[in-house]
Amino acid sequence: MAAARTESVPEGHGRIEDVDVSAEMQDSFLEYAYSVIYSRALPDARDGLKPVQRRILYQMADMGLRPDRGHVKSARVVGEVMGKLHPHGDSAIYDALVRLAQPFALRVPLVDGHGNFGSLDDGPAAARYTEARLAPAALALTENLDEDVVDFIPNYDGQFQQPEVLPAAFPNLLVNGTTGIAVGMATNMAPHNLIEVVAAAIHLLDNPEATTADLMQFVPGPDLPGGGIIVGLDGIREAYETGRGTFRTRAKVSVESLGPRRTGLVVTELPYMVGAERVIEKIKDAVNAKKLTGIADLNDLTDRNHGLRLVIGIKTGFDPNAVLEQLYRLTPLEDSFGINNVALVGGQPQTLGLKPLLQVYLDHRIQVVTRRSRYRLARKQERLHLVEGLLIAILDIDEVIQVIRASDDGDEARTKLMSVFDLSQPQAEYILELRLRRLTRFSRIELESERDTLKKEIADLEALLGSDTMLRAQVARELDAAADTFGTPRRTLLLNGGPVTPRSRAAAPADLQIADAPCRVFLSATGRLVRAELAPQGEGEATGVVTPTRRSKHDGIRSAVDATTRGDLGAVTTAGRLVRFSPVDLPSVPANAVQPAAGTRADQYLGLASGEHVVAIVPVTGEIIALGTAQGTVKRVATSELAPGKHEAEIIALKPGDRVIGAGLAPDDVELVFVTSDAQLLRFGADAVRPQGRAAGGMAGIRLSPGAEVIAFAPVAGDERTVVVTVAGSSQAIAGTDAGSAKVSSFDEFPAKGRATGGVRAQRFVKGEDTLTLAWVGVEPRALAADGAVRQLPAPGAKRDASGQPLEAVVAAVGTVVD
């Protein structure tokens, strides 16, 4: 099949050429496909940006729209980008600009929008109504562009230059994710936590042979902007290995009392890119179609102060958990996300796993730092050359002036200066342009100081460029700085719920229920919760033995309680509250697991207020627990004081400024132990403290010296292996910078005394020490860093009032070893 095509020829002439239509269509389609893939739909794996996004950020930086300056109309930004860099229409540019500003779409927004930039349920206002400027994180992507860190290419008409890729001070592609549909391919990448991604990148930088499993110790899964819960990690592992996988996301829902004999489900976080109006509509449709039963009412109480809050009333006689399972099955409260990590590498689309994504970024960042260092080295060498010439001129200033005065013009003066003083042409030009007021004694001193500084900086840059190790260390430091500046805590809860399998919408709710099996719940010394299955008879050494064969990173245990999967436990917090929770949604460690889960943050899982932390977990079956506070108060109270069905209750009336330091089960036959900041330890029998009601304020536990406070409290059973760990340091040191000294003493070294007395000395301070920074009492101690890494403690056996041994690294917490 052929078609006629008329070529443009001079007037008066005409020529018709036959062209094969199929060949013409094939060539034209390939050009179109290449344009869409390379220039529109897919991000570059180095900076994680599509061309339109890169052009928006570059143009806004070129316009000076920094975070410390005022917003400008979005229409102005769109016009500048369209006119100079991106000739594809204003709507496409504005849509990209809006997405860069939406905190529910990006984990770290890159544009600071002012006005209506839309929501999950509604679109944004027109560009003429909204205003924009760069967000602080965008500066990290565009910094150092004037230092030859990347190549520049012509724009569409060759009048302007634009960067081929941005320097990108953090791995933007993994942090913010992306989505796009090209020709014959698509990309869909989930957002991640910046702090976790940077930690994985630095680990890969230091350990190039690291496996995907190694990197997942730092990046356990996506961290979605809206929070929510990810159920099932198998799909994530597959995506990190192959670049493709699927995982399920769920809304964060809690069962709360809405009034007398009235229970409801409260939704505070939704799956990624799911809006509240869509959920409400689906719930109403399911109720009207009689597919969903047990719902009495539905109220949207979302506001700016408290964020998302959907309250679903449950009819009397219905199990809220069963209704919740129906909601997960029939509405967008549970959704799936398909990862398809397709990005451009060297101009070619590739499907990348976690390690290749990090490696491509690191290679780019190493090149950026190398080019920047070479540029700075050249500039400093040029400046040093000028300074040295100027110093020569100042030393012989009278002769310099005489040479200049004797010259007929500037060219002759420059030539004579170069000949007489052995100067280069740039040095001679610089001297001729110099103002006479610079030729003073103080200017000479300043120039000599500048010369010495430049020489040192040049030596440092040459050393950096000459050492691959130093170059990688510099990249790691800059990544750390970006994580410190822009990183935020994880928002999405990860639950290891097994493999993701397609489920029919008609499946019965019972199919999703977890069996109410025996388990053991652990609270780690670093504040994480995990649920461990108990081995069936014949699988472990004995019934009820936890059988993971490898330790997790967070295995220094603060509390361990036996329970059932759907049972109730209580978490005692620093605010003096007992919060009831069920371990059903905790990350689990199955029997005979090869690698235990690292758990989830307890304060995040329980939804605690800022600054409130869990100090212990306890059963809520009528046990007696003891609490000790920072101001030396002690109290024993029955956990049954928290009435059944009540989510939380205050179990001690704290004085202003006081907080709970420790808690635990305390029957009459155990001892209660206080350790204070001035190295005093007091132990006395629990029977000296009578149980009190929930609203009581406790009684005096230890007599404190002026300025001292309690730093550790624990009930201790009679175990000959019990030891006391103390860490001393300086009260003037910045937290986390002084490792201090530590000792481990047998608990039997400390004599018992009466309640409300001062105790005995637990460690002798040496020069430079004036406080205990940490103390712990228990069996088989394990010291941990703030991130859960194991730290070395001195050997046990020290005398109770001996001084400590210097530590090699800072110890942030101590817990009990569990195998």
Side-chain angles (χ1 to χ4, degrees), residues 57-242:
L57 296 181
Y58 171 69
Q59 189 61 44
M60 291 180 72
D62 190 58
M63 294 168 65
L65 303 182
R66 299 173 56 86
D68 55 352
R69 299 182 182 177
H71 297 79
V72 302
K73 286 291 185 182
S74 300
R76 178 183 166 191
V77 176
V78 170
E80 289 284 332
V81 174
M82 181 171 61
K84 293 182 177 180
L85 304 176
H86 194 76
H88 291 291
D90 59 333
S91 60
I93 298 172
Y94 185 54
D95 288 345
L97 174 67
V98 166
R99 180 176 173 82
L100 292 175
Q102 291 176 330
F104 53 82
L106 269 63
R107 188 61 179 80
V108 180
L110 302 177
V111 170
D112 178 13
H114 181 67
N116 178 15
F117 274 79
S119 67
L120 288 166
D121 298 303
D122 297 305
R128 62 183 179 274
Y129 298 121
T130 62
E131 298 177 342
R133 63 184 179 189
L134 290 176
L139 297 183
L141 296 183
T142 58
E143 65 181 355
N144 307 131
L145 277 173
D146 57 345
E147 295 186 288
D148 191 35
V149 291
V150 296
D151 293 331
F152 276 70
I153 56 177
N155 72 329
Y156 62 90
D157 61 3
Q159 294 188 30
F160 300 98
Q161 295 288 309
Q162 61 182 334
E164 182 184 31
V165 65
L166 294 185
F170 62 86
N172 176 63
L173 185 56
L174 273 168
V175 171
N176 279 325
T178 190
T179 182
I181 300 175
V183 177
M185 62 185 66
T187 184
N188 197 35
M189 304 181 66
H192 291 77
N193 185 275
L194 173 58
I195 298 175
E196 296 175 353
V197 171
V198 165
I202 293 175
H203 181 76
L204 183 59
L205 199 63
D206 297 335
N207 304 275
E209 303 302 322
T211 64
T212 302
D214 296 333
L215 298 177
M216 286 188 67
Q217 295 294 321
F218 302 93
V219 185
D223 186 22
L224 308 176
I229 301 171
I230 291 179
V231 183
L233 303 184
D234 287 352
I236 295 173
R237 294 189 189 98
E238 181 182 0
Y240 287 168
E241 287 283 358
T242 66

Side-chain angles (χ1 to χ4, degrees), residues 527-578:
R528 305 179 78 88
L529 287 170
V530 68
R531 168 170 56 88
E533 297 179 5
L534 299 185
Q537 184 71 35
E539 292 188 16
E541 296 178 2
T543 302
V545 176
V546 182
T547 60
T549 59
R550 284 176 57 187
R551 294 169 178 162
S552 72
K553 186 177 182 181
H554 302 279
D555 63 354
I557 301 303
R558 179 178 296 172
S559 297
V561 179
D562 288 338
T564 61
T565 307
R566 292 187 174 273
D568 281 340
L569 293 176
V572 181
T573 75
T574 52
R577 299 191 305 147
L578 183 66

Side-chain angles (χ1 to χ4, degrees), residues 363-634:
D363 292 343
H364 168 61
R365 193 62 193 167
I366 290 172
Q367 185 180 28
V368 166
V369 175
T370 302
R371 292 180 60 162
R372 184 188 65 197
S373 300
R374 288 174 180 166
Y375 177 88
R376 291 178 178 177
L377 177 61
R379 299 291 83 75
K380 292 184 184 299
Q381 287 173 335
E382 292 173 1
R383 177 60 185 168
L384 178 62
H385 185 61
L386 296 178
V387 169
E388 289 175 338
L390 191 54
L391 282 170
I392 293 173
I394 290 177
L395 288 175
D396 297 305
I397 187 60
D398 294 334
E399 189 175 353
V400 169
I401 294 174
Q402 184 178 354
V403 168
I404 295 174
R405 291 184 64 184
S407 302
D408 293 333
D409 53 31
D411 291 340
E412 183 181 349
R414 180 176 63 248
T415 303
K416 288 182 178 180
L417 286 174
M418 293 170 60
S419 175
V420 174
F421 298 100
D422 193 22
L423 300 174
S424 67
Q425 182 174 340
Q427 288 175 324
E429 289 281 3
Y430 188 65
I431 291 171
L432 288 173
E433 295 174 359
L434 187 67
R435 293 185 177 183
L436 290 178
R437 65 183 181 184
R438 290 291 306 275
L439 305 178
T440 64
R441 181 170 62 87
F442 292 106
S443 292
R444 176 182 172 184
I445 295 173
E446 292 172 0
L447 287 170
E448 289 175 343
S449 176
E450 183 181 0
R451 177 195 61 192
D452 295 341
T453 301
L454 285 170
K455 286 183 176 179
K456 182 180 183 305
E457 291 174 344
I458 288 172
D460 291 341
L461 286 170
E462 288 176 340
L464 178 65
L465 289 169
S467 171
D468 182 68
T469 301
M470 292 180 63
L471 195 64
R472 288 174 173 269
Q474 179 64 26
V475 172
R477 282 193 295 270
E478 294 180 8
L479 283 171
D480 257 337
D484 291 341
T485 304
F486 308 114
T488 55
R490 166 170 281 275
R491 299 174 185 172
T492 301
L493 188 65
L494 300 176
L495 299 181
N496 191 7
V500 178
T501 55
R503 294 186 293 108
S504 168
R505 286 290 177 182
D511 293 342
L512 305 178
Q513 293 180 354
I514 301 174
D516 193 17
C519 66
R520 184 168 298 157
V521 179
F522 295 103
L523 172 68
S524 77
T526 51
R528 305 179 78 88
L529 287 170
V530 68
R531 168 170 56 88
E533 297 179 5
L534 299 185
Q537 184 71 35
E539 292 188 16
E541 296 178 2
T543 302
V545 176
V546 182
T547 60
T549 59
R550 284 176 57 187
R551 294 169 178 162
S552 72
K553 186 177 182 181
H554 302 279
D555 63 354
I557 301 303
R558 179 178 296 172
S559 297
V561 179
D562 288 338
T564 61
T565 307
R566 292 187 174 273
D568 281 340
L569 293 176
V572 181
T573 75
T574 52
R577 299 191 305 147
L578 183 66
V579 181
R580 186 190 296 270
F581 71 97
S582 172
V584 64
D585 284 331
L586 286 176
S588 63
V589 180
N592 301 317
V594 175
Q595 183 174 358
T600 185
R601 291 183 57 87
D603 51 358
Q604 183 185 46
Y605 180 78
L606 299 173
L608 303 184
S610 176
E612 184 179 9
H613 306 291
V614 177
V615 298
I617 53 174
V618 295
V620 288
T621 54
E623 301 283 354
I624 301 294
I625 64 172
L627 304 90
T629 75
Q631 296 180 6
T633 299
V634 66

